[in-house]
Every structure is written in structure tokens, then in C-alpha cells.
Amino acid sequence: MPGRPLVVVHRDKALLAEASAARLATAIVDAQAARGEADIVLTGGSMGSAILEALGRSPLRDAVDWGAVTIWWGDERFLPAGDQDRNETQARIALLDLLPLDPARVHPMAGSDQAGSPEEAAASYADQLAAAAGGGYSVPAFDVVMLGVGPDGHIASLFPGHPALSATGSTVGVHESPKPPPERVSLTFDALGRGVQVWFLVAGQDKADAVERSLGGAPRDAAPAGSVEGTSATIWLLDAEAAGRLPA
Ligand code: 6PG
């Protein structure tokens, strides 16, 4: 069983992004040293983009063998490929388009131009995960799962009180998301929990309550972020504002 979550607080959002980018590069390098490749799960949101942009600027970018990195997403807005609001599009602009990635190792979730429904996109993503997993698992043991956290405590597209919270299997089609757009695709709690390291990346005063509730043991239905742990490590990477309601 993993131990208590590690909470790391940085002065502000910019420093959080720089430090987390360095942490990500190192985690990828470590995974590649151990097993020749790395599987990472990206998050949407402004923190997700800020970290990727920081990594793109960092000299550590060249420490990584990008051809041996497999890229997954924790969730996606069910919009057509190339839409500016897709997490995939934002990640490509922030970093992926700058890197010598192997296109066969980049796994965006299908958009509304490729799948007839969020459920169809979710099923096709579950197939990709299972094909990559091996060893009888339905999801790879991701080296790093990165998760932004909403002010309501949501992670990926798992929102408080939403039926998708109880989805079984590795992926779920989401309808009537409280945050637009209403249709999305998400990894489930079970799939996110296949992360060896799970990192929560959170900045801003409006997140302080969600951070406090998640780390304080609020139930899954009220604070989804508190319900995911990495199999080896769970790390909350915060700026001082997001950490503002935690005990000193
Ligand atoms: C979405 C967003 C969302 C985001 C969090 C954290 O799909 O609507 O991606 O889930 O990741 O709200 O966002 P910030 O990093 O911008 O705080």
C-alpha cells in the first residue's frame, strides 16, 4: 500500500510549473533507465499546459528519449480533432508538436469527428489501453498520472455527484458534465489508480477548499480528487495559494 500523500508547496504557479516540469523529466528518465520506456498520462487545464510549456523551455527536455515515451490522456472533451478546446490540441501546442515523438505512441482520445458518441470513444480508448497493458491487465502501469483539480474537486472528467464516478472498466463516456462541454471521455478511478506515481497539480486560491477537502478525507462523491492514489507514490504539487487552507 502507498503511504500518506506527499504535499509539496511552491511559492507561486510559475515556480510550481517549472519545478513540476523538472520532476516530470526526471521521472521519465528514471522510467526509461529502469525499463527502456515511459508511459505518462497528461491532464488538461492551465496547469497541465503550464508544465508542458515549462518542459519545452527546459534544458532537461534533451535528457529524455522522446521516441520511447508513450502519451495518454486522463480525459478529453468530446469535440472534433483540432478543436482548440481539446486537451490534445492544447498539449500539442504546448509541447508535443516540438518533440520527436513516435506517433504510434501518442494516444489521443477519439473526437466527435471520429466516434459517434462519448461511449464509442471510451470503448475505443479502453481497447488501446488493454492492447498496451499486457500481463492480463486492462490498463498499463502508467509511470506518472498527472491530474489537475477543479475548484469543485473534480479530476479528469470525474465530477462530484456525477454518475460517471461509479463507472466500472477503464474508461467512461460522460454526459451532462457540469463544466462545458457537456460531453467528455474520461479514465475511471480504477484506471487512474494504475499510476505508479499520481501527481495532483494545483494552483490558485479558488482551489484551496478542494485541496483541503480532498486531503482531509472527504468522500469520493464530494471530492473525487481525494480518491486516487498511486501504487508507489501520491504527490500533491501545490502553489502557496492552493495550500492556503492546509495545516502548517
Ligand atoms: C476540463 C479541464 C479541467 C481542469 C481542471 C484544473 O476538462 O474542463 O481540463 O478538468 O483540468 O479544472 O484546471 P486548472 O489547471 O486550469 O486549474
Side-chain angles (χ1 to χ4, degrees):
M1 281 294 288
R4 285 160 61 94
L6 178 67
V7 179
V8 180
V9 183
H10 293 290
R11 185 182 62 218
D12 55 33
K13 183 172 182 173
L15 193 55
L16 171 62
E18 295 295 333
S20 302
R23 186 182 289 272
L24 179 59
T26 303
I28 295 171
V29 168
D30 286 356
Q32 290 181 331
R35 61 185 193 89
E37 58 185 324
D39 283 65
I40 62 171
V41 178
L42 303 185
T43 180
S46 62
M47 272 313 303
S49 291
I51 286 157
L52 298 184
E53 284 165 9
L55 185 49
R57 290 190 300 269
S58 167
L60 297 178
R61 168 178 155 183
D62 294 335
V64 171
D65 175 3
W66 290 107
V69 177
T70 304
I71 308 275
W72 303 94
W73 273 266
D75 73 323
E76 187 55 274
R77 297 163 176 184
F78 190 61
L79 298 167
D83 191 292
Q84 295 294 311
D85 284 336
R86 273 178 64 86
N87 292 337
E88 176 202 357
T89 310
Q90 293 174 9
R92 287 192 187 279
I93 292 168
L95 179 67
L96 305 187
D97 285 349
L98 311 175
L99 301 175
L101 292 164
D102 174 354
R105 286 179 176 267
V106 180
H107 297 277
M109 292 174 169
S112 53
D113 56 328
Q114 295 159 317
S117 65
E119 284 71 23
E120 197 181 310
S124 121
Y125 213 63
D127 289 345
Q128 289 180 56
L129 289 164
Y137 288 98
S138 54
V139 178
F142 305 119
D143 296 289
V144 179
V145 173
M146 289 183 282
L147 293 168
V149 178
D152 58 355
H154 84 263
I155 45 165
S157 287
L158 302 174
F159 291 87
H162 193 280
L165 294 182
S166 49
T168 54
S170 57
T171 61
V172 60
V174 176
H175 296 263
E176 298 182 21
S177 153
K179 184 178 179 186
E183 295 190 321
R184 293 155 172 262
V185 181
S186 186
L187 299 193
T188 61
F189 285 112
D190 285 351
L192 295 168
R194 284 281 287 155
V196 177
Q197 297 192 45
V198 172
W199 299 354
F200 298 93
L201 305 150
V202 202
Q205 208 169 12
D206 60 325
K207 309 290 177 64
D209 182 58
V211 169
E212 181 190 32
R213 284 185 292 115
S214 301
L215 282 165
R220 169 177 288 197
D221 207 43
S227 291
V228 182
E229 288 185 332
T231 57
S232 172
T234 308
I235 310 182
W236 285 74
L237 299 163
L238 308 175
D239 77 347
E241 289 187 349
R245 293 175 70 123
L246 295 179

Coordinates of all heavy atoms in Angstrom, one line a residue, residues 61 64-69 95-103:
R61 N 14.7 18.9 -21.2 CA 13.9 18.3 -22.4 C 14.8 17.4 -23.1 O 14.4 16.3 -23.6 CB 13.4 19.5 -23.2 CG 12.9 19.2 -24.6 CD 12.4 20.4 -25.2 NE 12.5 20.3 -26.7 CZ 12.2 21.2 -27.5 NH1 11.8 22.4 -27.1 NH2 12.2 21.0 -28.8
V64 N 15.5 13.5 -22.2 CA 14.5 12.4 -22.4 C 14.7 11.8 -23.8 O 14.9 12.5 -24.7 CB 13.1 13.0 -22.2 CG1 12.0 12.1 -22.7 CG2 12.9 13.5 -20.8
D65 N 14.5 10.5 -23.9 CA 14.4 9.8 -25.2 C 12.9 9.9 -25.6 O 12.1 9.0 -25.2 CB 14.9 8.4 -25.1 CG 14.7 7.6 -26.4 OD1 14.3 8.2 -27.4 OD2 15.0 6.4 -26.4
W66 N 12.6 10.9 -26.3 CA 11.1 11.1 -26.6 C 10.5 10.1 -27.5 O 9.3 9.8 -27.5 CB 10.9 12.5 -27.2 CG 11.2 13.6 -26.2 CD1 12.2 14.4 -26.1 CD2 10.3 13.9 -25.0 NE1 12.1 15.2 -25.0 CE2 11.0 14.9 -24.3 CE3 9.1 13.4 -24.6 CZ2 10.4 15.5 -23.1 CZ3 8.6 13.9 -23.4 CH2 9.2 14.9 -22.7
G67 N 11.4 9.4 -28.3 CA 10.8 8.3 -29.1 C 10.4 7.1 -28.3 O 9.7 6.2 -28.8
A68 N 10.7 7.1 -27.0 CA 10.4 6.0 -26.2 C 9.5 6.4 -25.0 O 9.5 5.9 -23.9 CB 11.6 5.3 -25.6
V69 N 8.6 7.4 -25.3 CA 7.6 7.9 -24.4 C 6.3 7.7 -24.9 O 6.0 8.0 -26.1 CB 7.8 9.4 -24.1 CG1 6.7 9.9 -23.1 CG2 9.2 9.7 -23.5
L95 N 3.6 21.5 -26.1 CA 4.9 20.8 -26.1 C 4.9 19.7 -27.2 O 6.0 19.6 -27.9 CB 5.1 20.1 -24.8 CG 6.3 19.2 -24.7 CD1 7.6 20.1 -24.7 CD2 6.3 18.4 -23.4
L96 N 3.9 18.9 -27.4 CA 4.1 17.7 -28.2 C 4.5 17.9 -29.6 O 5.3 17.2 -30.1 CB 2.8 16.9 -28.2 CG 2.2 16.5 -26.8 CD1 1.0 15.6 -27.0 CD2 3.2 15.9 -25.9
D97 N 4.1 19.0 -30.2 CA 4.5 19.3 -31.6 C 5.9 19.6 -31.7 O 6.5 19.7 -32.8 CB 3.6 20.4 -32.2 CG 2.2 19.9 -32.5 OD1 1.9 18.7 -32.5 OD2 1.3 20.8 -32.8
L98 N 6.6 19.9 -30.6 CA 8.0 20.3 -30.6 C 8.9 19.1 -30.5 O 10.1 19.3 -30.6 CB 8.3 21.3 -29.5 CG 7.4 22.5 -29.3 CD1 7.8 23.3 -28.0 CD2 7.5 23.4 -30.5
L99 N 8.3 17.9 -30.2 CA 9.2 16.8 -29.8 C 9.2 15.7 -30.9 O 8.3 15.6 -31.6 CB 8.6 16.2 -28.5 CG 8.4 17.0 -27.3 CD1 7.7 16.3 -26.2 CD2 9.8 17.5 -26.8
P100 N 10.3 15.0 -30.9 CA 10.4 13.9 -31.8 C 9.8 12.6 -31.3 O 10.4 11.6 -31.0 CB 12.0 13.7 -32.0 CG 12.5 14.1 -30.6 CD 11.6 15.2 -30.2
L101 N 8.4 12.7 -31.1 CA 7.7 11.6 -30.5 C 7.4 10.5 -31.6 O 7.4 10.9 -32.8 CB 6.3 12.1 -30.0 CG 6.4 13.0 -28.8 CD1 5.0 13.7 -28.6 CD2 6.7 12.1 -27.5
D102 N 7.2 9.3 -31.2 CA 6.8 8.3 -32.2 C 5.3 8.4 -32.2 O 4.6 8.1 -31.2 CB 7.2 6.9 -31.6 CG 6.7 5.7 -32.4 OD1 5.9 6.0 -33.3 OD2 7.0 4.6 -32.1
P103 N 4.7 8.7 -33.4 CA 3.2 8.9 -33.5 C 2.4 7.7 -33.0 O 1.3 7.9 -32.5 CB 3.0 9.2 -35.0 CG 4.3 9.6 -35.5 CD 5.4 9.0 -34.7

